[in-house]
Amino acid sequence: MSAVPRSEKPVGRFRRMLDRLSSSQEELESEELREDTATAGCTRIGDCHDRQVVTVTGTLRTVTLRPRAGVPALEAELFDGSAALEVVWLGRRSIVGIEPGRKLIASGRISMSRGRRVLFNPKYELRPLGRE
């Protein structure tokens, strides 16, 4: 056998097909989201640090209304295949188009809250439904 790790070996059509058949649905979706992030020229959520200004993209997993300090706040979890990010719109009870399963691009300054990455009141762009 060669000493070259499997990830560095040339990947043929048969190997790609075999890898896809042996991967779970979640792994395939995560890989697709990571490819979308690279294609859009955005930063991977897993690579984001506290106080960094970023543009990220991904799919909204959950959307909830949760008050923060007595003020309504719409919270959503954005996932890009590498990690999750909490997106919070303060003072909003709902936003048209912000729903689970929707893809979007969000820009703003990352902050850390309780060990999680949070993006407060980001600029955002909803991805067209036809591309999903």
Side-chain angles (χ1 to χ4, degrees):
M1 299 292 291
S2 66
V4 177
R6 179 177 166 193
S7 62
E8 294 179 19
K9 287 185 179 179
V11 179
R13 195 176 335 175
F14 180 73
R15 169 62 67 192
R16 285 192 304 266
M17 182 182 71
L18 188 59
D19 286 345
R20 287 188 69 81
L21 289 174
S22 63
S23 298
S24 70
Q25 184 65 27
E26 185 175 323
E27 289 171 338
L28 294 174
E29 289 172 1
S30 292
E31 181 181 336
E32 184 179 318
L33 287 170
R34 286 190 298 270
E35 289 172 5
D36 286 348
T37 299
T39 302
C42 296
T43 305
R44 289 175 17 144
I45 294 173
D47 296 338
C48 296
H49 304 291
D50 191 26
R51 308 294 301 152
Q52 180 182 8
V53 177
V54 297
T55 299
V56 294
T57 187
T59 300
L60 295 175
R61 283 182 164 175
T62 61
V63 178
T64 58
L65 176 62
R66 185 172 301 142
R68 286 184 175 241
V71 177
L74 185 65
E75 296 183 1
E77 182 183 64
L78 184 68
F79 182 71
D80 75 345
S82 67
L85 167 76
E86 193 174 327
V87 183
V88 179
W89 288 275
L90 297 170
R92 302 295 300 261
R93 294 183 189 281
S94 66
I95 299 174
V96 175
I98 301 296
E99 55 195 28
R102 189 69 188 257
K103 293 184 180 182
L104 65 86
I105 297 173
S107 300
R109 186 176 302 274
I110 296 284
S111 64
M112 297 297 282
S113 176
R114 291 176 254 127
R116 292 192 50 138
R117 294 173 184 92
V118 182
L119 196 57
F120 287 100
N121 294 326
K123 291 186 212 176
Y124 67 95
E125 174 185 334
L126 294 171
R127 305 285 297 271
L129 290 171
R131 298 172 109 190
E132 296 177 15

